[in-house]
Amino acid sequence: PMGSERTEIRKRQMAATPESPGAAQAQLSTGNRGSNACCFCWCCCCSCSCLTVRNQEEERARRTSHELQAEGIPNCEESPAPTLEEVNAWAQSFDKLMLTPAGRNAFREFLRTEFSEENMLFWMACEELKQESNKSIIEEKARLIYEDYISILSPKEVSLDSRVREVINRNMLEPSQHTFDDAQLQIYTLMHRDSYPRFMNSAIYKDLLQSLSEKSIEA
């Protein structure tokens, strides 16, 4: 009887014990994978959402001017094809380049390759504002310019120093055609000193000049 009782106790112990440590580990691993299907551990799965947010922010910062144009940035100005004389004149001064629609279009195409097209767009928007005389239209356009190019929340924000920003904020209390004059001058100077020299050495300018030169010889 004692032996039978001992045998029965051993059977009960074996029934309560897992088949093997490996089987228990496999079952635990399967449970983890089920709860966190995207990763192998909870810490990786937690970081997935963080990385997603970070990648979205980086992608927003890397948006090119071409992508911004697709969202509503105005197309290039209408203008006749530039002549060889006009294109040669662009090399004489930045002012001559900016005087003609063809010059602005060519320069804007170059700025797009450098992801700084917003500088030209801001300058053009300020020029358009100066042509307005209706007070309500001036206020509306000034608000749009501020939201598009001055606000730090805008992907098209232009680079301005703190002094100019303070001037703009004061001017926005009573917007006028000249609300952004200081900012426009600063961006014009930036394009002149920084982007214009590179434009003159760019393939965009050189190819255009060569094409017009060849046409002139053929004629």
Side-chain angles (χ1 to χ4, degrees):
M2 184 66 69
S4 299
E5 183 178 350
R6 203 178 282 121
T7 301
E8 184 66 24
I9 292 173
R10 187 178 296 114
K11 287 181 179 180
R12 292 176 183 175
Q13 290 176 342
M14 291 177 64
T17 303
E19 295 179 0
S20 68
Q25 183 65 31
Q27 183 178 4
L28 180 61
S29 298
T30 302
N32 285 342
R33 284 197 298 270
S35 61
N36 296 324
C38 63
C39 302
F40 293 102
C41 65
W42 70 269
C43 58
C44 294
C45 191
C46 177
S47 64
C48 283
S49 60
C50 299
L51 289 173
T52 300
V53 172
R54 187 182 308 159
N55 290 339
Q56 288 174 345
E57 292 176 349
E58 291 176 353
E59 181 64 25
R60 178 181 178 86
R62 286 197 299 266
R63 290 198 305 174
T64 66
S65 295
H66 178 72
E67 291 170 324
L68 293 175
Q69 182 177 5
E71 295 177 4
I73 288 180
N75 295 323
C76 291
E77 300 173 79
E78 292 185 4
S79 70
T83 64
L84 178 60
E85 291 74 20
E86 286 178 324
V87 175
N88 278 321
W90 297 348
Q92 297 173 13
S93 73
F94 184 59
D95 291 339
K96 290 185 177 181
L97 169 69
M98 293 289 283
L99 276 176
T100 64
R104 292 191 293 269
N105 285 340
F107 186 52
R108 181 175 165 185
E109 181 183 353
F110 169 74
L111 292 178
R112 190 178 297 127
T113 67
E114 294 199 333
F115 313 121
S116 59
E117 186 183 14
E118 62 274 3
N119 289 332
M120 175 66 80
L121 295 171
F122 171 68
W123 184 89
M124 292 170 60
C126 292
E127 287 294 294
E128 184 178 333
L129 178 65
K130 290 177 181 178
Q131 308 302 317
E132 290 295 342
S133 57
N134 184 288
K135 188 175 185 298
S136 61
I137 295 179
I138 289 173
E139 291 177 351
E140 177 65 14
K141 286 191 173 183
R143 182 184 63 80
L144 292 174
I145 291 173
Y146 189 94
E147 291 177 354
D148 285 345
Y149 304 108
I150 310 300
S151 172
I152 61 174
L153 301 177
S154 173
K156 297 179 286 184
E157 177 195 6
V158 296
S159 179
L160 300 170
D161 61 36
S162 58
R163 180 193 66 82
V164 171
R165 287 185 173 275
E166 290 176 3
V167 171
I168 292 174
N169 289 334
R170 288 197 301 268
N171 290 343
M172 285 299 292
L173 297 176
E174 293 185 14
S176 72
Q177 300 100 318
H178 305 288
T179 293
F180 304 101
D181 281 3
D182 287 352
Q184 185 186 21
L185 177 60
Q186 188 169 96
I187 294 302
Y188 188 90
T189 303
L190 174 66
M191 292 190 294
H192 182 189
R193 294 178 178 175
D194 185 57
S195 303
Y196 173 64
R198 291 197 296 275
F199 169 70
M200 298 312 303
N201 291 311
S202 70
I204 291 176
Y205 177 74
K206 290 181 177 179
D207 290 349
L208 178 60
L209 184 63
Q210 181 179 355
S211 174
L212 292 173
S213 297
E214 292 174 352
K215 289 180 180 179
S216 177
I217 293 174
E218 292 174 359

